[in-house]
Amino acid sequence: MQHQSLWLDPGECARTPPTGAIDLVAYDSRFTWSRVLVAVSPFGGTGRCYSFAKSGNASPEVPPDSLLFTFSGPGTDGAQLGFLAGDLTGGGPPPVAGTPTPGPLTGPITALVGVSVDGVYRSSATCRLTVTAMSSPLAAGHFTCPEATVLTANPFSPNDEGPFEDSSAPAMPSDSDTATLSGWFELTP
């Protein structure tokens, strides 16, 4: 029996995420509770809103310079959101003693968002992420990915039986392969 991911009213995926302080360093945080709500709207189709819970490492740090948040649902369903830590500081290194502190984060940054529903993994590395909180007590934000494409390699459904297919160069997507992803996330310790 296959379990399905939780479907929510589409309005839930359009809600505004919580807000809080934004720590431009964003390292040394640990999040044990979280959720992401992702609306998947296939080209020319009606979208559905899915909810996934926190999974994976409590620390989002991926050396040397990225943050990755992972969420899972039943079976091979799940979502991930990642971005370069330097994007919080306007592309520069995080502040250290004796160096100027970067200014506030005033606009969206680029993020990678991927979602797997019913074994179909869609991803985009050109999503617009607006961070509304990023500190030890709360990380949150909302994202929009105008064009996410289906990739053969699904990180939520690894296949060790056959050769790895390079997902970095997918075939030209058809209209049924592309979708818009949008939604928001929140994480707490």
Side-chain angles (χ1 to χ4, degrees):
M1 176 177 164
Q2 178 160 349
H3 295 81
Q4 292 185 331
S5 288
L6 179 61
W7 293 0
L8 301 174
D9 180 284
E12 290 295 310
C13 280
R15 285 183 45 206
T16 302
T19 60
I22 296 178
D23 178 355
L24 299 178
V25 178
Y27 269 54
D28 297 326
S29 296
R30 297 185 60 78
F31 302 106
T32 57
W33 181 89
S34 69
R35 66 179 170 161
V36 65
L37 282 76
V38 182
V40 180
S41 304
F43 180 79
T46 303
R48 286 193 170 146
C49 178
Y50 299 93
S51 176
F52 302 102
K54 172 81 178 101
S55 66
N57 194 340
S59 172
E61 299 169 27
V62 179
D65 61 358
S66 298
L67 299 175
L68 177 66
F69 304 99
T70 57
F71 310 88
S72 65
T76 60
D77 288 5
Q80 61 183 358
L81 183 143
F83 57 90
L84 295 174
D87 286 350
L88 292 174
T89 61
V96 293
T99 62
T101 301
L105 182 64
T106 59
I109 61 176
T110 302
L112 173 125
V113 175
V115 62
S116 177
V117 175
D118 297 330
V120 177
Y121 182 70
R122 289 183 171 90
S123 177
S124 174
T126 57
C127 302
R128 304 290 289 164
L129 170 64
T130 299
V131 176
T132 59
M134 187 63 62
S135 63
S136 294
L138 174 67
H142 58 87
F143 55 88
T144 303
C145 313
E147 189 171 322
T149 57
V150 172
L151 299 179
T152 304
N154 181 346
F156 295 96
S157 178
N159 181 357
D160 295 332
E161 295 175 12
F164 178 76
E165 294 184 38
D166 182 6
S167 63
S168 64
M172 292 301 292
S174 69
D175 287 346
S176 63
D177 290 339
T178 61
T180 298
L181 306 178
S182 61
W184 59 279
F185 69 96
E186 66 174 317
L187 303 102
T188 58

